[in-house]
Amino acid sequence: MPWPYPEHNPYVGDDGVRDEDLRLAALVAQRLSADWTTRRQQISVSVQNRVVILTGMVADSATRQAAGDLAWDVIGVFDVCNALTLYGRGRGRR
């Protein structure tokens, strides 16, 4: 079951949770854009209930791992869902 977007979450009644998620998303995105390994990659960051969700495409598995590690290093992050894919994966080879 996919996670719904935060604005569709019936369990969130407090704007403090949304504010914290936005703050964490900004901090993770800042870290990813500052690091030389991940700065030129196509990475999207979203946060839901302090769980960071990384999506997009990266060049190699080391970059994928680095992005996950950078997200984990942000104080306040509860978990990281690293859904990054590698360029060239998922395409049929002929």
Side-chain angles (χ1 to χ4, degrees), residues 6 9-18 49:
N9 191 347
Y11 302 109
V12 176
D14 184 38
D15 284 341
V17 174
R18 290 183 188 172
N49 298 324

Side-chain angles (χ1 to χ4, degrees), residues 37 41-43 54-67 82-93:
T37 308
Q41 304 299 314
Q42 297 176 3
I43 301 174
L54 302 174
T55 57
M57 300 185 79
V58 294
D60 54 30
S61 60
T63 304
R64 182 180 186 274
Q65 180 67 40
N82 193 341
L84 295 170
T85 58
L86 304 180
Y87 289 116
R89 292 270 171 115
R91 297 179 190 169
R93 302 212 189 259

Side-chain angles (χ1 to χ4, degrees), residues 2-23:
W3 291 26
Y5 290 105
E7 62 268 12
H8 298 262
N9 191 347
Y11 302 109
V12 176
D14 184 38
D15 284 341
V17 174
R18 290 183 188 172
D19 291 343
E20 177 66 10
D21 286 348
L22 290 173
R23 185 187 73 80

Side-chain angles (χ1 to χ4, degrees), residues 28-29 32 41-46 52-57 81 84:
V28 170
L32 292 174
Q41 304 299 314
Q42 297 176 3
I43 301 174
S44 297
V45 178
S46 60
V52 175
I53 304 164
L54 302 174
T55 57
M57 300 185 79
C81 174
L84 295 170

